[in-house]
Amino acid sequence: MIDLWDVSTFDADLVELLQKNEALVRNYVEEENRIFLNYDLHRDPSLFVRPSNPYARAHMELEEEVQTIMASRSFRAFHYTRLTDEEVHKIQSRGIELSNSEALRDRLASQVKFGRISQDSASQLYSLSPLQNGQNESRSGQFWLASCPVAIADHGVQPLLGHWGGEVVYMWLKNPDLIQTVQKIGRATVLEVCVPLSATNDVFSASRAVVRTFAHSLGLNAENGEFDVCVRESLPPESIIKVHQEGGSEFKALGCGYPESYVKNDDIWWEEYE
């Protein structure tokens, strides 16, 4: 399993390819930084058109070569959600299932069974779901994760942690009572998952992240390589590395201390050159 942010987890084939192209990566990133300073920040008034990076084509070809290797690799990713104890146990015993209308109906029925919501509320939540209102095709058969740990205080994940059922339940809710209902179910949870890239929609983004992480390891100010990834195949129970829940020490430290090897490159990637 590869951590996309940690070059020490890259296997020998990846490391060999990257090291062979160290000069290319260095030249590309340093040129991108010069273009950013001179054109994007308007430091050079003589530039009316954004200069092209002469190393861009070769750099893209490197990313595509890395993609060929990465297609058969697995990496660590993080799913932000809100789950009950029963749902956590089900995932640990049966693995990860993809989102669809039938799965949503079963989840709502379980909450009725345990007395957490009424049958009427369950029916309303089901009928108001994006899955029943024009987004069934675009949202079914998916399971989304972040390629790197995100701090639980981040505004991008707070709605996911604060509302049971994910976007297919809370996204279009306007009724205050229904909103409060889904906010009270379960606990904020982050699933740490080993994801085979063959089961995802985006091997290239992972490949780009690998090249950028290599650039960071050289002390270069490359852009951030984080991205959201969609799994399109059910994953077995052994794919679950850890379950982090509200109240746990690692839950609080996600993205800012856990995993220890992770550094948010958005915070450090740019430094001005004198």
Side-chain angles (χ1 to χ4, degrees), residues 141-157:
Q142 303 177 14
F143 183 81
W144 285 89
L145 306 101
S147 67
C148 296
V150 180
I152 60 171
D154 188 282
H155 67 89
V157 299

Side-chain angles (χ1 to χ4, degrees), residues 107-144:
R107 292 188 70 189
L108 288 166
S110 294
Q111 301 315 307
V112 173
K113 174 184 175 182
F114 285 105
R116 298 188 180 105
I117 59 175
S118 67
Q119 182 59 60
D120 181 60
S121 292
S123 298
Q124 290 185 65
L125 290 170
Y126 184 81
S127 65
L128 291 170
S129 168
L131 293 174
Q132 313 307 317
N133 294 278
Q135 294 192 1
N136 182 59
E137 184 175 347
S138 62
R139 286 183 175 272
S140 292
Q142 303 177 14
F143 183 81
W144 285 89

Side-chain angles (χ1 to χ4, degrees), residues 81-88 107 110-111 114-117 160-166 179-190 244-247 251:
T81 186
R82 191 172 186 89
L83 299 174
T84 65
D85 291 342
E86 297 85 15
E87 289 175 319
V88 169
R107 292 188 70 189
S110 294
Q111 301 315 307
F114 285 105
R116 298 188 180 105
I117 59 175
L160 295 167
L161 296 172
H163 300 79
W164 175 86
I179 293 173
Q180 289 179 10
T181 294
V182 297
Q183 288 175 335
K184 292 177 181 178
I185 299 174
R187 284 191 289 166
T189 304
V190 180
H244 305 279
Q245 287 197 290
E246 191 173 7
F251 176 83

Side-chain angles (χ1 to χ4, degrees), residues 28-192:
Y28 171 81
V29 173
E30 290 180 344
E31 183 63 22
E32 280 296 295
N33 288 344
R34 279 191 287 270
I35 293 172
F36 179 84
L37 281 176
N38 293 329
Y39 180 80
D40 296 321
L41 294 187
H42 311 292
R43 299 290 175 84
D44 187 345
S46 68
L47 295 175
F48 297 101
V49 177
R50 196 178 199 276
S52 60
N53 189 325
Y55 305 100
R57 179 180 293 274
H59 191 265
M60 175 67 77
E61 290 173 352
L62 171 61
E63 291 175 333
E64 292 173 347
E65 195 171 352
V66 171
Q67 180 179 4
T68 301
I69 297 176
M70 289 294 291
S72 60
R73 302 300 193 266
S74 295
F75 71 106
R76 176 161 43 168
F78 301 81
H79 177 73
Y80 289 73
T81 186
R82 191 172 186 89
L83 299 174
T84 65
D85 291 342
E86 297 85 15
E87 289 175 319
V88 169
H89 176 73
K90 181 179 178 181
I91 289 173
Q92 290 176 322
S93 60
R94 299 187 188 180
I96 292 171
E97 299 176 352
L98 305 182
S99 175
N100 56 51
S101 292
E102 184 178 353
L104 175 58
R105 190 189 298 274
D106 289 344
R107 292 188 70 189
L108 288 166
S110 294
Q111 301 315 307
V112 173
K113 174 184 175 182
F114 285 105
R116 298 188 180 105
I117 59 175
S118 67
Q119 182 59 60
D120 181 60
S121 292
S123 298
Q124 290 185 65
L125 290 170
Y126 184 81
S127 65
L128 291 170
S129 168
L131 293 174
Q132 313 307 317
N133 294 278
Q135 294 192 1
N136 182 59
E137 184 175 347
S138 62
R139 286 183 175 272
S140 292
Q142 303 177 14
F143 183 81
W144 285 89
L145 306 101
S147 67
C148 296
V150 180
I152 60 171
D154 188 282
H155 67 89
V157 299
Q158 282 185 330
L160 295 167
L161 296 172
H163 300 79
W164 175 86
E167 289 186 347
V168 296
V169 170
Y170 77 80
M171 186 175 180
W172 289 343
L173 291 182
K174 296 181 180 179
N175 184 310
D177 292 335
L178 289 177
I179 293 173
Q180 289 179 10
T181 294
V182 297
Q183 288 175 335
K184 292 177 181 178
I185 299 174
R187 284 191 289 166
T189 304
V190 180
L191 303 178
E192 188 174 343

